[in-house]
Amino acid sequence: MSKEKTQEVLNQTVADLSKAAALIHQTHWYMRGSGFLTLHPKMDEFMDGLNDHLDEFAERLITIGGSPVSTLKEFDEKSKIELHPATWDKSMSERLQEVLNAYKYLAKLFQKGMDVAEAEGDAVTVDLYTVALGDVEKTIWMLEAELG
């Protein structure tokens, strides 16, 4: 059975994880205000987590015969995550809401990845998405708790 659809969703995941990490990095650099001392290092943890999953998904894509997108241009063209030049006029809450929205999008994408990989009989990819979805759901819970 061909795993074309699995390769396609894996490449979407590579692009979106890359763009989500850039959004979090932007948040990390541009945050100011209440909660800075705890949230600034938390953004590093979030970036590390996304980058760990990114590597796993890209390597899985290569393993099943695909070619991951790998340039900033490709990430930007393929990703569905919005990222605009930063300004200093956003509040901490607005920045965290953008991060939360990205994680909610990733949760939907990871569920789709699980469904597609399962339909194509790729249990290993299903497992990767399952673990990543658990991590993303935990981060969503933490961000929602922070935002109230």
Side-chain angles (χ1 to χ4, degrees):
M1 179 186 296
S2 170
K3 293 182 180 167
E4 278 184 35
K5 291 181 182 177
T6 299
Q7 289 181 24
E8 190 176 304
V9 74
L10 281 166
N11 236 341
Q12 182 68 53
T13 302
V14 168
D16 286 324
L17 282 170
S18 298
K19 198 97 171 266
L23 172 67
I24 293 169
H25 207 152
Q26 183 182 75
T27 299
H28 175 83
W29 283 341
Y30 278 81
M31 65 172 40
R32 299 287 184 270
S34 180
F36 175 86
L37 288 176
T38 55
L39 290 171
H40 194 259
K42 184 54 92 176
M43 295 302 117
D44 284 328
E45 289 177 34
F46 289 170
M47 283 187 293
D48 289 346
L50 291 182
N51 286 326
D52 288 346
H53 288 301
L54 171 61
D55 193 53
E56 292 290 328
F57 285 117
E59 289 174 354
R60 180 64 184 159
L61 179 55
I62 294 166
T63 299
I64 64 172
S67 301
V69 293
S70 60
T71 67
L72 296 175
K73 182 179 181 189
E74 289 171 308
F75 300 153
D76 197 41
E77 289 173 350
K78 191 161 187 66
S79 178
K80 293 180 173 79
I81 293 177
E82 294 282 327
L83 183 61
H84 303 285
T87 60
W88 292 104
D89 61 343
K90 286 187 182 175
S91 69
M92 187 81 82
S93 294
E94 289 171 316
R95 292 197 183 286
L96 290 179
Q97 187 62 54
E98 288 178 341
V99 171
L100 175 59
N101 292 344
Y103 273 94
K104 285 181 175 182
Y105 165 75
L106 290 173
K108 289 177 188 173
L109 176 63
F110 293 173
Q111 183 60 59
K112 178 183 175 183
M114 288 167 52
D115 296 342
V116 167
E118 186 171 4
E120 292 190 334
D122 186 346
V124 174
T125 301
V126 171
D127 285 347
L128 289 176
Y129 277 113
T130 301
V131 170
L133 179 59
D135 290 347
V136 163
E137 287 177 341
K138 182 177 179 181
T139 302
I140 290 169
W141 163 67
M142 285 192 263
L143 287 166
E144 287 178 337
E146 177 67 27
L147 288 168

